Amino acid sequence: MARHARPKDLGEPGEQVGGLAVLKEIAIIVISALVLSFLIKTFLVQSFYIPSASMEDTLTVGDRVMVSRLAPGPVDLRRGDIVVFIDPGGWLPVYTAPDRGPVGNAATAAMTAIGLLPEDTGEHLIKRLIGLPGDHIMCDDACADDGGPVTVNGTAIDETYLKPGNTPSGAKKFDVVVPDRMLFVMGDHRQNSADSRFNTSRPGGGFVPVHNIVGTAFATVWPFERMTWHSNPSGVFAGVPEPTAPAPQPTT
């Protein structure tokens, strides 16, 4: 009996099985990469976009920074850290995300969730951590009127990271003790930063709850010409003693 030839467009059985195996391997790799990206973003590292000039010249508008999510947590927060935090309440204007259409919005949300796009900064701020719980932070007349240094626990700090031409507090006087489980933050561009100094009438009295901290920025990764590491300026706070009294309880 004559054998009928197999149509060429169907291919041999082995070829079909091989093609499916390749597609399966590609699917496994893609899914594994997406899961890994999600886990890294959730527990280790997250990317953020810088939307304002409050941290110039350390960070400028349009920079993409990498943020370690190990602090607070396995890694303690330190004075001088650059911290990303959720708005404690009223620091930012009401934010409306850009409308990219149903498909665009869904795609953006999905890629952000798994870490393929930088986090939408609409509810986040980035500042420098100046005071830990219990720290006494002050800018007196000499600081505000004459451009003298801010003091932390009675010790003047030489803030080498300030934007050139800025004074340590931009004529804003303050005298505060950081409550328990709270932080005091300021931008490096002191003359253009609505930070703890200017939010005393907001919830929390201008302090940032520790649980609002997303993480600490450790590198600028974009634009390419601005790629750099952000190490903690430990020398600025090297002479600052620890608080002598327990941190007061936060007010509600």
Side-chain angles (χ1 to χ4, degrees):
M1 180 180 294
R3 298 181 60 186
H4 295 286
R6 182 181 300 273
K8 293 183 178 181
D9 58 346
L10 294 180
E12 295 298 325
E15 293 176 354
Q16 295 182 47
V17 173
L20 291 175
V22 170
L23 291 176
K24 180 180 178 181
E25 290 299 320
I26 292 174
I28 291 173
I29 292 171
V30 170
I31 293 172
S32 299
L34 293 176
V35 170
L36 180 61
S37 177
F38 174 77
L39 292 174
I40 290 174
K41 178 235 175 178
T42 302
F43 299 107
L44 296 177
V45 178
Q46 191 170 356
S47 174
F48 281 86
Y49 167 83
I50 303 303
S52 75
S54 69
M55 281 295 291
E56 291 181 344
D57 288 334
T58 306
L59 304 172
T60 62
V61 176
D63 283 356
R64 266 69 167 179
V65 297
M66 300 304 292
V67 173
S68 169
R69 302 202 60 152
L70 295 178
V75 177
D76 290 333
L77 292 169
R78 298 179 293 167
R79 302 182 191 98
D81 284 344
I82 300 173
V83 292
V84 171
F85 56 96
I86 298 171
D87 185 354
W91 288 35
L92 291 171
V94 176
Y95 176 75
T96 302
D99 186 4
R100 302 178 176 89
V103 175
N105 291 339
T108 298
M111 287 190 288
T112 301
I114 61 178
L116 297 180
L117 285 179
E119 183 72 25
D120 191 335
T121 49
E123 297 180 353
H124 296 81
L125 299 97
I126 185 165
K127 308 290 181 187
R128 193 173 295 272
L129 174 54
I130 304 298
L132 296 168
D135 282 345
H136 178 199
I137 308 171
M138 183 171 65
C139 177
D140 57 14
D141 291 339
C143 167
D145 299 338
D146 302 326
V150 169
T151 63
V152 181
N153 298 334
T155 299
I157 55 175
D158 180 14
E159 299 182 89
T160 55
Y161 40 73
L162 295 185
K163 181 179 176 67
N166 276 207
T167 56
S169 188
K172 177 69 173 178
K173 290 192 290 186
F174 56 88
D175 187 349
V176 300
V177 176
V178 185
D180 188 34
R181 304 186 302 279
M182 294 287 190
L183 304 168
F184 186 91
V185 300
M186 291 195 283
D188 290 358
H189 190 356
R190 295 289 157 81
Q191 270 70 7
N192 189 28
S193 178
D195 47 40
S196 289
R197 297 169 294 165
F198 297 97
N199 287 283
T200 55
S201 63
R202 306 292 186 184
F207 300 106
V208 178
V210 171
H211 65 255
N212 278 37
I213 300 296
V214 175
T216 56
F218 64 89
T220 295
V221 295
W222 187 262
F224 180 77
E225 62 272 15
R226 286 186 49 78
M227 290 181 67
T228 187
W229 295 103
H230 299 297
S231 58
N232 178 280
S234 55
V236 173
F237 299 90
V240 174
E242 293 305 305
T244 57
Q249 293 300 306
T251 58
T252 56

